[in-house]
Amino acid sequence: SKQAISIENVEEVSLPVKEYGIIAVANGPGFEEIFKSIGADYVIKCGQSMNPSTYDIVKAINRIESDKIIILPNNKNIILTANQAKKIAKKQVVVIPTKSIPQGISSALSFNADLGMEENAENMSRAYKGHFHPHETYDWTAGLWIREGKESVE
């Protein structure tokens, strides 16, 4: 026999809150998929002449279930807007001033959830500029960049 489920017996289940959220700005479904596959929680879609507004970025910040947000603008014309959104948001926001999709991908790949916000911001900024830690190498394995620590040889 079928039993009716009463609403009184249903408990509200909240989704786990992530420590960090990553927002990337990208044009096209291919780049959107790439950013999501390497850890972006939300991708703001834009076009060549259609940049997101401050409101669009704040809305994306508020959609992520985290109090610590990292934004990858991936376009020099969006960095200022991302910084304006940072000032409005009621969360801890860091803007990594990436100016291109390759810089954004490099930054996203260097994110490490085990590190603090400041250290991640420093590492992600170094990565998009091409300055990796001198004693680390990256290996392309099974379609992923794998970071391997190397001992210093002096």
Side-chain angles (χ1 to χ4, degrees):
S1 79
K2 294 182 181 177
Q3 293 182 328
I5 298 174
S6 77
I7 293 188
E8 295 135 4
N9 295 334
V10 177
E11 291 183 32
E12 186 175 320
V13 178
S14 61
L15 296 172
V17 177
K18 293 179 66 172
E19 186 171 1
Y20 296 100
I22 298 176
I23 297 171
V25 180
N27 54 346
F31 288 127
E32 179 181 355
E33 188 59 38
I34 288 170
F35 276 106
K36 285 184 177 178
S37 75
I38 60 175
D41 297 287
Y42 192 86
V43 178
I44 300 172
K45 299 172 189 104
C46 71
Q48 198 66 322
S49 62
M50 191 179 85
N51 292 336
S53 66
T54 302
Y55 173 76
D56 293 331
I57 297 173
V58 170
K59 194 166 66 171
I61 291 168
N62 291 334
R63 289 185 77 157
I64 297 177
E65 294 285 327
S66 175
D67 290 330
K68 297 175 184 173
I69 306 293
I70 298 169
I71 302 175
L72 303 170
N74 303 325
N75 181 321
K76 66 180 180 158
N77 298 322
I78 301 173
I79 295 170
L80 179 63
T81 307
N83 280 311
Q84 288 173 332
K86 171 186 173 176
K87 292 176 185 174
I88 294 169
K90 293 178 171 64
K91 297 181 178 186
Q92 182 181 357
V93 177
V94 170
V95 177
I96 308 297
T98 54
K99 297 176 185 167
S100 66
I101 296 291
Q103 286 182 348
I105 291 170
S106 180
S107 284
L109 286 170
S110 71
F111 174 77
N112 181 342
D114 295 331
L115 301 178
M117 185 74 139
E118 216 173 280
E119 197 171 355
N120 264 312
E122 186 180 314
N123 290 344
M124 293 173 83
S125 292
R126 244 190 281 132
Y128 93 79
K129 294 174 187 171
H131 303 291
F132 291 102
H133 188 279
H135 303 297
E136 291 179 344
T137 60
Y138 292 79
D139 185 30
W140 184 256
T141 305
L144 296 171
W145 284 105
I146 307 297
R147 181 171 44 202
E148 301 172 346
K150 296 287 183 188
E151 290 185 22
S152 174
V153 178
E154 297 188 51

